[in-house]
Amino acid sequence: MNILFIGDVFSAIGREMIERYLPLLKEKYEIDFVIANVENATHGKGLIKKHYNEFLFQGISFMTMGNHTFAKKELFDYIDEADRLIVPYNQPKALPGIGSREILFKNRKIRVTNLLGITFMDGKSQNPFEAIDDILAKDQSDIHIIDFHAEATSEKVALGYYLDGKVSAVLGTHTHVTTADEKILPKGTAYQSDVGMTGPYHSAIGCDVDSIIKRMKMGIMTPFQIAESEGQLRATLLTFNDQNQCTQIQRICIDPNHSL
């Protein structure tokens, strides 16, 4: 079984890259199941219902979120019916949404869990190392993939090794920069610190470069501007054998310098 995880989909350019290339990726890599982090899909922050439905139509089976989950208030209106949407499991309990979902697909129980990091984040979330133990205690899935939406690489690496042999894969999101550390850990869990971003190629993690340089050089909190650029698609391909073991983890890059 081949499972594709698409890194943070950012703005209209990211959505266009999904529409254009996902069918081709499915054909080339014989992809069975698709997951995508979509917390930045609508204008760079949040997810409206229209875009949620578009992703469903394009064949994305599960959508994960992150620290911008509720940036678009429209989500509160449809979150209860969005049964393919997964919000951070360790977010404050007062917030709505499901943080871990399981689906029976081709006679395999596939679970996807979304977690938020707490290092250099807003500090309101439960410790992810404690939160995931609650799920593991009752999990009976065949394949369990964690989207760890976190800032610090050290926190991501530590969680990867903490969950080695307990879940199928720990894939990092949030930093929007693809890391080259994909590997199978000693006890069989696939790991990558960050899958990367699907969105504007020439940008500062999705935003207009000049506006970010001005913001950083002058110390002025100017509004974020979405970059207008050619697109890129960043994803990670996981291959599982008949015993539900991950046998390969592979980076996929599509941009002006990397064709499909």
Side-chain angles (χ1 to χ4, degrees), residues 20-134:
R20 184 186 312 169
Y21 287 105
L22 184 54
L24 301 177
L25 286 168
K26 286 183 175 181
E27 181 178 359
K28 179 176 180 178
Y29 294 102
E30 298 181 343
I31 292 166
D32 300 290
F33 195 88
V34 183
I35 308 162
N37 183 289
V38 297
E39 70 134 12
N40 299 124
T42 300
H43 312 308
K45 283 187 179 182
L47 179 72
I48 62 173
K49 186 175 183 180
K50 175 184 176 183
H51 296 151
Y52 169 80
N53 287 333
E54 287 177 359
F55 290 138
L56 285 179
F57 180 77
Q58 289 158 4
I60 296 176
S61 299
F62 274 144
M63 291 167 250
T64 55
M65 299 294 279
N67 58 308
H68 295 309
T69 296
F70 298 100
K72 297 292 183 286
K73 301 308 177 187
E74 182 181 322
L75 180 60
F76 286 99
D77 297 331
Y78 76 91
I79 192 169
D80 290 340
E81 63 188 73
D83 60 0
R84 298 303 180 94
L85 189 68
I86 304 169
V87 304
Y89 179 80
N90 58 329
Q91 69 181 10
K93 298 302 182 185
L95 294 172
I98 304 297
S100 185
R101 292 186 185 273
E102 181 180 290
I103 189 171
L104 183 62
F105 182 81
K106 292 188 176 180
N107 294 319
R108 305 195 201 196
K109 292 180 286 186
I110 299 174
R111 176 175 292 276
V112 176
T113 300
N114 193 189
L115 291 173
L116 273 176
I118 55 176
T119 304
F120 306 131
M121 301 291 269
D122 63 17
K124 297 178 182 178
S125 301
Q126 180 188 1
N127 187 312
F129 290 80
E130 295 176 346
I132 191 61
D133 283 343
D134 296 337

Side-chain angles (χ1 to χ4, degrees), residues 160 163-170 183-191 246:
L163 294 176
D164 187 19
K166 302 174 184 177
V167 302
S168 305
V170 177
K183 60 175 72 73
I184 306 293
L185 299 178
K187 296 179 182 178
T189 295
Y191 175 82
C246 187

Side-chain angles (χ1 to χ4, degrees), residues 132-189:
I132 191 61
D133 283 343
D134 296 337
I135 296 175
L136 296 178
K138 55 189 176 183
D139 180 39
Q140 298 293 323
S141 63
D142 299 309
I143 295 172
H144 188 179
I145 296 171
I146 308 289
D147 173 354
F148 191 28
H149 199 79
E151 185 74 34
T153 303
S154 57
E155 187 181 18
K156 292 179 178 182
V157 170
L159 187 74
Y161 279 98
Y162 178 68
L163 294 176
D164 187 19
K166 302 174 184 177
V167 302
S168 305
V170 177
L171 302 177
T173 58
H174 177 65
T175 68
H176 292 199
V177 178
T178 306
T179 57
D181 62 342
E182 73 279 4
K183 60 175 72 73
I184 306 293
L185 299 178
K187 296 179 182 178
T189 295

